[in-house]
Amino acid sequence: MRRRIRGVNEWVEHRTGIQSAVRQFLYEEIPASSGWHQVFGSVAMFLFMVQAFTGALLAFNYAPTPGDAYNSLRYILTELTGGRLMRGLHHWGASMIVVVVVLHMVQVFLYGAYKKPREATWMVGVVLLLLTLAYGLTGYLLPWDNRAYWGTVVTTQIAGQAPVLGPYLSRLLGGEGAIGVVTFARFYGLHVLLLPPATIFLIVLHVFLVRKHGVAPLPGDELKAKQKFYPQQVFKDTVAIFIAFAILFMMAVAVRVPLEQLADPTDTSYIPRPEWYFLFLFQTLKLFSGPLEVVGSVVLPGLAVLLLILVPFIDRGQMVKVTRRTVALAFVLLAAIGWGGLTAAAVRSTPKEALAAAVDYSGPTDWMQLSPEEMVGIAYFRQENCVSCHAIGDQGKAVGPDLTKASIHKDAAWMIQHFKRPSAMRPGTSMPPIQLTDAQLNSLAAFLLKLNEKNATALDNAPDFAAQGALLYQTNRCGACHLVNGGGMKIGPPLNGLSKRQSRSWVEDHFADPRKMAPGSIMPSYKLAPKDLENLTSYLFALPD
Amino acid sequence: MGNVQIVPPREGEGTSRRNFYVVAIYGLWGAISAALGLPALVYLLFPPKAKKGEEWIEVGDIGRLAPLSPVELTFRRTRVDGWKVISEKSTAWVVKTADNQVTAFGPQCTHLGCAYHWEDAKGQFLCPCHTSLFSIDGKVAAGPAPRPLDRYQTKLNGSKLLLGKLQGSPEKKS
Ligand code: FES
């Protein structure tokens, strides 16, 4: 058997030379000083492979048109096993790759590893950084939710501002006029057809150049014996890759990537925010206004990139110890502070509205179909902690009967009596009486009568703001004039689809003074506490159209 | 690193340390591959979580159907297709048997899925693709078809015929 394998190996080696090529690659000599600080390049390359892999898997179930993108992504997230994990890996991997690429550059910069003869390696690296950002920019649009749409509106407008090239650029991106099918197709094309081969080509070139010039030695290395790339450095690279992957995997599992509402070009209240690593650019833009805006959007970033590319030609001294490269260190610190400050400022200036309880449409949405009264029932059900005794499907304790079973459903009058004095209706029961008013018990009964095995999940996944919002809706008797999910009166306008008609701030102002916002309105004004106002508005905005 | 056998250079350096490196490298890469590969397989191979169960579709009045003369009835059924619910045209060959029972056959030949039709002269279903013949009760009379025609679940509501799932084709989801 052994002999057989060796024979096959020899045959392959003779025809292709793969084995000796691999051996040459692995037993490459590297300086004695190589070690943990040089792992970032390998990690970045690994993350690129993860992106390619998860990206291809997502593409198998994704329809790249504005009409279908959102629905197919929702299908991936809610219908397919493992779909949420794949999207999580791809989403967080994108952020992580930016971090790792920047760390890689900082390491090379601090060590001065870009110096002669390694200038070309550095410049190819800078282009790779730009490509990484280009993925982020083009990929941002692909979920086609509000965030994606409005973020891209800003991007294309910035591109359109570039001196001389602006109009051509925006025509190239299909962003003339409105963002629609053309822009979408081009972004997708860039993201999956153009950028990957370009990246692969540049990575190969980058690695080739690293190999050609050898890993940059430190002063003093020439006196020590060289070491081999395999296995020691490969081990270090592998450990670093594993740590990065473990973090990525945990984030993909634990941190849910929300999918917002379907892109709505008429939603004038939406405040777009770019991905976190672009926030500093976004903030820079705000420092300039009027005709100077182009300075912040195009000129400064352009100069920064140019400077980055020219680094090896600006700093041309001999290689020195890292600890003596104080200017480089100061430069990195300054850049980090500048970046951090701008990002923090951008986060701080993000209005509350952009952060307010966004409804996650990638989760189950069956609760949106419930009437306000049933939703209020959920609120009381939670408040009275009914699950501590009753099973709901397979959840909850089984002291009392399973409330999803239709067989135990009696009429509302019976249930209300039973809630008030349980033992009067069911002698011997251990259920305590529920201390609620008749109207409140009515809501609870309405909800319980509707409960069956199929809709029991709504009980679990109805967000708290919806239950609280419905409670406010009920106590303020909004249903006496308005229609929600087909229940209520038609004196005022129906409230389904409110989010399509009005902005959040309009609705909130309208509660305080209806006549100011809509002259001639007969709606009384409501003074609500800020938290209540937020819950009620969020609830109304989450109603299906 | 592939399956390539690497001949370690003979050096005096501690081989146990070296072995540790090699084992760790293979182990960690194995773990990474499994953590990516297994979910990927699940993602690609597991069927989408089912939405709702099959409904019964009314296809028409069979009160005036003559016994032993199959007719092709057309109806619309909604089908979940990935992220879409589509409404598509569908047909069934409906036969009233001598004892007033109703059978409804799926419209595709069980050989390779061609559309067959009723040959009145022969009193048999004929598939033109590779000339499979089926008798009026769906049994294979001749040709390469491997099994009898697929049947819909049927239900009668007065004289209205309701169709349910198409049965008999395990690999096909209808
Ligand atoms: S498909 Fe009908 S006989 Fe081949």
Side-chain angles (χ1 to χ4, degrees):
Chain A
M1 189 65 192
R2 267 265 159 85
R3 181 122 38 85
R4 180 77 58 75
I5 291 176
R6 185 127 45 99
V8 172
N9 272 340
E10 264 163 23
W11 190 92
V12 174
E13 165 70 19
H14 199 205
R15 314 300 127 117
T16 65
I18 284 179
Q19 277 95 331
S20 48
V22 168
R23 213 169 299 143
Q24 215 179 355
F25 186 81
L26 288 178
Y27 290 108
E28 160 95 15
E29 291 196 321
I30 55 175
S33 63
S34 303
W36 288 105
H37 58 280
Q38 274 145 341
V39 297
F40 297 111
S42 305
V43 178
M45 197 151 93
F46 166 75
L47 287 175
F48 172 70
M49 282 161 20
V50 173
Q51 290 305 94
F53 182 70
T54 52
L57 284 172
L58 287 174
F60 284 160
N61 285 302
Y62 172 79
T65 63
D68 274 338
Y70 182 82
N71 287 335
S72 56
L73 181 57
R74 232 188 110 169
Y75 166 79
I76 293 176
L77 295 177
T78 56
E79 299 289 316
L80 296 180
T81 319
R84 198 174 281 285
L85 176 69
M86 291 304 151
R87 191 210 178 193
L89 287 171
H90 200 71
H91 177 94
W92 295 118
S95 280
M96 199 156 184
I97 206 167
V98 173
V99 173
V100 172
V101 165
V102 168
L103 286 177
H104 181 48
M105 290 190 91
V106 167
Q107 183 267 321
V108 171
F109 184 80
L110 280 181
Y111 280 75
Y114 47 73
K115 291 186 180 183
K116 190 182 154 195
R118 299 185 175 81
E119 297 96 328
T121 324
W122 169 266
M123 291 193 293
V124 172
V126 174
V127 179
L128 278 168
L129 169 73
L130 296 180
L131 284 188
T132 311
L133 296 178
Y135 280 107
L137 220 56
T138 49
Y140 202 65
L141 179 64
L142 303 185
W144 198 252
D145 58 0
N146 247 343
R147 199 167 96 105
Y149 178 85
W150 288 102
T152 306
V153 168
V154 177
T155 318
T156 48
Q157 303 241 334
I158 288 178
Q161 276 184 359
V164 191
L165 291 179
Y168 301 102
L169 258 178
S170 70
R171 207 169 298 162
L172 259 183
L173 292 177
E176 260 186 331
I179 290 189
V181 282
V182 178
T183 310
F184 195 96
R186 301 207 173 165
F187 272 50
Y188 184 72
L190 279 172
H191 195 80
V192 308
L193 288 177
L194 212 58
L195 292 177
T199 315
I200 292 170
F201 171 72
L202 288 176
I203 288 179
V204 169
L205 184 61
H206 195 66
V207 172
F208 167 77
L209 288 172
V210 170
R211 288 288 158 142
K212 180 176 163 62
H213 299 302
V215 173
L218 288 184
D221 264 345
E222 54 288 352
L223 303 173
K224 292 180 216 143
K226 294 209 173 217
Q227 51 168 329
K228 297 264 195 285
F229 179 55
Y230 183 87
Q232 192 162 351
Q233 185 64 28
V234 172
F235 167 75
K236 288 174 183 165
D237 284 4
T238 305
V239 170
I241 286 171
F242 184 78
I243 293 172
F245 179 72
I247 296 173
L248 173 59
F249 197 87
M250 283 189 306
M251 284 183 78
V253 170
V255 191
R256 197 176 172 128
V257 188
L259 180 64
E260 288 186 7
Q261 209 171 342
L262 177 68
D264 175 12
T266 62
D267 180 356
T268 49
S269 71
Y270 193 85
I271 300 169
R273 279 287 176 280
E275 197 59 317
W276 65 267
Y277 43 83
F278 286 126
L279 274 179
F280 76 104
L281 279 178
F282 168 86
Q283 189 68 15
T284 316
L285 197 59
K286 284 207 235 161
L287 299 176
F288 302 88
S289 61
L292 283 180
E293 206 167 301
V294 53
V295 175
S297 63
V298 183
V299 178
L300 276 186
L303 281 179
V305 170
L306 197 66
L307 207 65
L308 209 55
I309 290 184
L310 293 180
V311 157
F313 305 101
I314 297 168
D315 170 28
R316 308 167 55 153
Q318 286 294 310
M319 281 289 259
V320 291
K321 276 221 181 72
V322 202
T323 42
R324 301 218 350 243
R325 286 180 53 84
T326 40
V327 177
L329 194 64
F331 209 81
V332 169
L333 277 180
L334 220 66
I337 292 171
W339 180 86
L342 285 170
T343 306
V347 172
R348 207 166 332 117
S349 73
T350 304
K352 199 177 106 258
E353 206 161 296
L355 298 172
V359 180
D360 183 357
Y361 286 85
S362 67
T365 49
D366 43 0
W367 55 270
M368 292 179 192
Q369 311 296 338
L370 294 176
S371 73
E373 179 157 58
E374 288 153 4
M375 191 60 94
V376 169
I378 294 188
Y380 292 133
F381 191 85
R382 288 182 181 169
Q383 187 184 316
E384 299 298 320
N385 202 11
C386 304
V387 265
S388 64
C389 291
H390 287 284
I392 301 295
D394 353 307
Q395 282 186 24
K397 301 230 185 60
V399 180
D402 181 346
L403 296 176
T404 60
K405 292 274 175 322
S407 51
I408 69 148
H409 288 172
K410 300 273 194 308
D411 60 81
W414 185 94
M415 287 176 83
I416 291 172
Q417 287 311 313
H418 176 59
F419 291 151
K420 285 185 179 164
R421 288 187 21 240
S423 52
M425 307 304 282
R426 271 218 197 291
T429 178
S430 59
M431 173 162 151
I434 304 176
Q435 310 290 350
L436 291 174
T437 67
D438 276 10
Q440 292 168 333
L441 289 176
N442 226 331
S443 300
L444 190 54
F447 164 68
L448 289 177
L449 284 173
K450 264 230 165 170
L451 198 60
N452 57 39
E453 277 155 75
K454 282 217 192 88
N455 66 19
T457 48
L459 180 63
D460 263 342
N461 54 42
D464 226 30
F465 73 77
Q468 295 305 323
L471 208 53
L472 288 158
Y473 186 89
Q474 196 80 345
T475 46
N476 287 303
R477 305 177 44 75
C478 306
C481 291
H482 292 283
L483 204 60
V484 158
N485 288 349
M489 303 295 275
K490 284 189 186 159
I491 297 167
L495 296 175
N496 288 66
L498 179 65
S499 60
K500 290 274 151 67
R501 302 196 295 268
Q502 301 295 353
S503 73
R504 241 189 124 87
S505 56
W506 188 94
V507 172
E508 295 190 346
D509 291 345
H510 183 268
F511 276 123
D513 189 355
R515 237 142 311 182
K516 190 173 128 213
M517 309 306 290
S521 165
I522 56 162
M523 174 161 150
S525 71
Y526 291 89
K527 302 266 177 289
L528 298 167
K531 189 73 205 159
D532 289 349
L533 192 59
E534 191 188 319
N535 282 337
L536 182 53
T537 316
S538 295
Y539 169 61
L540 294 178
F541 268 49
L543 294 171
D545 300 335
Chain B
M1 313 290 106
N3 296 324
V4 188
Q5 275 196 329
I6 288 124
V7 189
R10 287 277 134 241
E11 271 171 34
E13 148 195 47
T15 39
S16 72
R17 191 186 173 83
R18 192 194 152 82
N19 281 344
F20 166 74
Y21 286 149
V22 173
V23 169
I25 289 168
Y26 279 92
L28 292 177
W29 276 108
I32 293 172
S33 313
L36 277 176
L38 295 181
L41 282 181
V42 167
Y43 168 80
L44 289 177
L45 295 178
F46 274 37
K49 289 163 198 157
K51 285 215 172 124
K52 26 185 132 81
E54 276 296 305
E55 313 121 40
W56 291 89
I57 306 156
E58 193 179 307
V59 294
D61 200 321
I62 52 152
R64 287 190 312 259
L65 210 64
L68 297 179
S69 96
V71 287
E72 190 172 19
L73 292 181
T74 310
F75 56 97
R76 294 203 78 85
R77 62 164 40 200
T78 53
R79 189 164 64 85
V80 177
D81 180 15
W83 50 90
K84 284 186 168 164
V85 178
I86 53 173
S87 159
E88 62 184 6
K89 214 183 92 181
S90 209
T91 60
W93 280 96
V94 178
V95 192
K96 201 187 249 173
T97 51
D99 49 351
N100 253 345
Q101 295 284 41
V102 177
T103 350
F105 297 113
Q108 288 182 312
C109 171
T110 54
H111 178 221
L112 292 172
C114 283
Y116 61 85
H117 58 265
W118 176 251
E119 290 273 307
D120 237 343
K122 283 196 185 128
Q124 275 175 322
F125 291 108
L126 166 72
C127 176
C129 286
H130 317 92
T131 55
S132 277
L133 283 170
F134 302 91
S135 60
I136 196 161
D137 57 357
K139 296 227 177 68
V140 184
R147 60 188 154 88
L149 291 172
D150 300 333
R151 291 165 182 239
Y152 285 102
Q153 285 178 322
T154 55
K155 206 153 85 173
L156 278 178
N157 184 1
S159 64
K160 297 233 168 27
L161 176 65
L162 302 173
L163 293 189
K165 264 202 199 87
L166 186 61
Q167 296 191 313
S169 53
E171 73 277 16
K172 230 185 299 158
K173 277 181 288 168
S174 140

